[in-house]
Amino acid sequence: MVQPLIARSDDGAEVCGPCVGFAADYTCHQCGRAGNPHSRGRCAHCVLAERVKALLAGPDGTVTPQMEPLAAALTDAPSPFRAIQWIKDSPNTGLLARLAADGHTLSHELLDELPPSRNQRYIRQLLVHTGILEERHEDLERIPGWLEHELADKPAAHANLARPFLHWFLLHCARQRAAHRHHPASADRDLRRRVSVALDFLAWMDQRDLALADLAQEHIDDWITGATSQRRYLIRYFLKWTTSRRLTRELTVPSLPRQEPQDLLDEDDRWPLLQRCLTDDALPTDVRAAGAITLLFGPSAERLCHLTPEHLTFDDKHAHLVLGRHPVLLPPRLAELLRRLAESPGCGRSSRESAQGLGGSSRAWSRASRSRRTA
């Protein structure tokens, strides 16, 4: 009979409960597993399986075949006590339970109908990571819901222009780019800014009793010079669309004034920093990798934080890193550093870890992007 070892004898040997006169039964009454009981003589694994079934039960009280991958991932959690606590306390489980109880086939479109929230985004990510839903460019697909929220207090005429501008022009182009670049850098932020500027411009036109067909070059010049922020230069995207739709005449938006960096590293500073990133074992591996990539290739912080081990390739002689459309050849020492980072435990992701929102490769690379400021 298997008994947990709960004490030590005088000579230091581990002993079980009955051997020291402690008659508590550590055997699960349901599955026979020995260990710390959780509830009514059952182990945490059995209690977790019961809680998962109750959480994901459909209208007939059973877990639907579509939900089975998520149920398996939660039930097989490496730490059942933490998973039980997550089911009990997480604000996300209420939404998950409602979706399961409704009995509808889960889809991105079904989730899109829900009010945008952190819970909705978490549940979507959970379903994607467990294979229930296909992965999509979520940064782009959240923008239509954001636009509807922005249009709630806007005139109907503005909404009738903003919607096709976003859907037919901005999102169409962004999805084409995303087909070639799996992680378009800060695409959602850029698109939101362009739509926001277009809405501000339409409000500015209303104040001056202007129609699109009446716009002249002097109006554009007034719009640009009427504020100190360079944000207004983004109106070029809206005017490009209105011109293509023959809503406005051909208009010119001046080029954005070029700003030079305030502080530049000279060669005497850059090479010692690179040497430290490649050789200083006292620094975290992810920070060293991000610093070396930044000093050698200069990617933006947004692109850097989207890098994953899938962007790294090795052959018999060389290693390459995909930073844009084309891979770049890596120096041997940096290649070895990135190999170690890619093979570290934090860079792997199992379905069980994904189901609980635990670590993965993107977390390590995202943390590494902070070294850009240090460098």
Side-chain angles (χ1 to χ4, degrees), residues 158-213:
H158 295 186
N160 292 336
L161 289 168
R163 289 192 183 99
F165 172 55
L166 173 66
H167 290 278
W168 300 349
F169 182 65
L170 294 179
L171 280 178
H172 176 72
C173 295
R175 286 170 177 146
Q176 286 183 326
R177 289 193 299 272
H180 301 287
R181 293 171 55 192
H182 186 61
H183 295 289
S186 63
D188 60 330
R189 182 189 63 187
D190 293 342
L191 266 59
R192 291 174 198 231
R193 289 177 64 192
R194 293 168 190 177
V195 173
S196 295
V197 169
L199 291 172
D200 291 344
F201 182 69
L202 292 173
W204 181 85
M205 289 176 54
D206 285 351
Q207 293 174 0
R208 289 154 179 79
D209 198 23
L210 288 172
L212 285 174

Side-chain angles (χ1 to χ4, degrees), residues 32 38 60-61 70 86 128 144 167 176 201 206 219 241 259 281 287 293 310 323 332 352 358:
H38 183 276
D60 61 353
L70 177 57
W86 177 81
V128 169
H167 290 278
Q176 286 183 326
F201 182 69
D206 285 351
H219 299 134
W241 175 73
Q259 290 184 330
D281 292 332
V287 173
I293 292 172
E310 286 70 31
L323 287 174
R352 291 177 302 182
L358 300 181

Side-chain angles (χ1 to χ4, degrees), residues 27-318:
T27 302
C28 176
H29 296 170
Q30 183 170 336
C31 70
R33 183 188 282 111
N36 188 15
H38 183 276
S39 174
R40 298 180 181 177
R42 294 182 302 161
C43 66
H45 296 278
C46 291
V47 173
L48 175 60
E50 180 183 81
R51 301 282 176 85
V52 169
K53 181 178 179 181
L55 174 69
L56 303 181
D60 61 353
T62 64
V63 178
T64 64
Q66 189 183 23
M67 279 290 198
E68 286 179 359
L70 177 57
L74 291 173
T75 302
D76 295 338
S79 177
F81 290 95
R82 288 180 58 189
I84 291 171
Q85 196 68 27
W86 177 81
I87 292 175
K88 178 182 177 182
D89 296 335
S90 174
N92 301 296
T93 53
L95 175 58
L96 187 59
R98 290 197 300 272
L99 290 172
D102 287 342
H104 299 303
T105 300
L106 296 176
S107 64
H108 284 295
E109 291 71 24
L110 179 64
L111 293 179
D112 289 340
E113 295 175 1
L114 301 175
S117 66
R118 294 178 61 184
N119 296 342
Q120 179 221 40
R121 291 192 292 272
Y122 182 91
I123 295 303
R124 190 193 302 273
Q125 186 180 38
L126 199 63
L127 298 176
V128 169
H129 284 326
T130 51
I132 295 176
L133 298 182
E134 293 184 358
E135 187 174 3
R136 69 177 187 176
H137 295 284
E138 203 54 43
D139 287 348
L140 299 180
E141 301 306 328
R142 284 201 300 263
I143 297 178
W146 165 84
L147 176 62
E148 294 307 312
H149 176 76
E150 291 293 304
L151 295 178
D153 58 350
K154 299 294 190 296
H158 295 186
N160 292 336
L161 289 168
R163 289 192 183 99
F165 172 55
L166 173 66
H167 290 278
W168 300 349
F169 182 65
L170 294 179
L171 280 178
H172 176 72
C173 295
R175 286 170 177 146
Q176 286 183 326
R177 289 193 299 272
H180 301 287
R181 293 171 55 192
H182 186 61
H183 295 289
S186 63
D188 60 330
R189 182 189 63 187
D190 293 342
L191 266 59
R192 291 174 198 231
R193 289 177 64 192
R194 293 168 190 177
V195 173
S196 295
V197 169
L199 291 172
D200 291 344
F201 182 69
L202 292 173
W204 181 85
M205 289 176 54
D206 285 351
Q207 293 174 0
R208 289 154 179 79
D209 198 23
L210 288 172
L212 285 174
D214 300 330
L215 280 178
Q217 188 61 46
E218 58 266 24
H219 299 134
I220 306 303
D221 296 339
D222 290 344
W223 161 261
I224 295 294
T225 59
T228 57
S229 172
Q230 294 183 349
R231 186 171 177 268
R232 287 195 172 191
Y233 285 84
L234 295 176
I235 196 60
R236 68 173 70 250
Y237 297 97
F238 180 66
L239 294 179
K240 181 179 179 181
W241 175 73
T242 57
T243 301
S244 69
R245 305 299 297 174
R246 298 184 179 181
L247 299 175
T248 57
R249 68 191 72 180
E250 193 75 34
L251 299 167
T252 301
V253 178
S255 298
L256 186 67
R258 186 173 180 177
Q259 290 184 330
E260 297 295 337
Q262 298 296 317
D263 298 307
L264 292 175
L265 288 176
D266 57 30
E267 294 300 300
D268 292 337
D269 294 328
R270 190 163 70 95
W271 291 116
L273 282 173
L274 179 59
Q275 181 72 12
R276 184 185 178 193
C277 288
L278 294 176
T279 61
D280 189 352
D281 292 332
L283 291 174
T285 303
D286 52 1
V287 173
R288 293 171 59 194
I293 292 172
T294 302
L295 290 165
L296 282 173
F297 307 115
S300 65
E302 290 84 1
R303 179 169 294 177
L304 189 64
C305 74
H306 282 305
L307 290 177
T308 67
E310 286 70 31
H311 292 87
L312 191 63
T313 60
F314 293 91
D315 56 33
D316 294 338
K317 295 182 179 180
H318 304 293

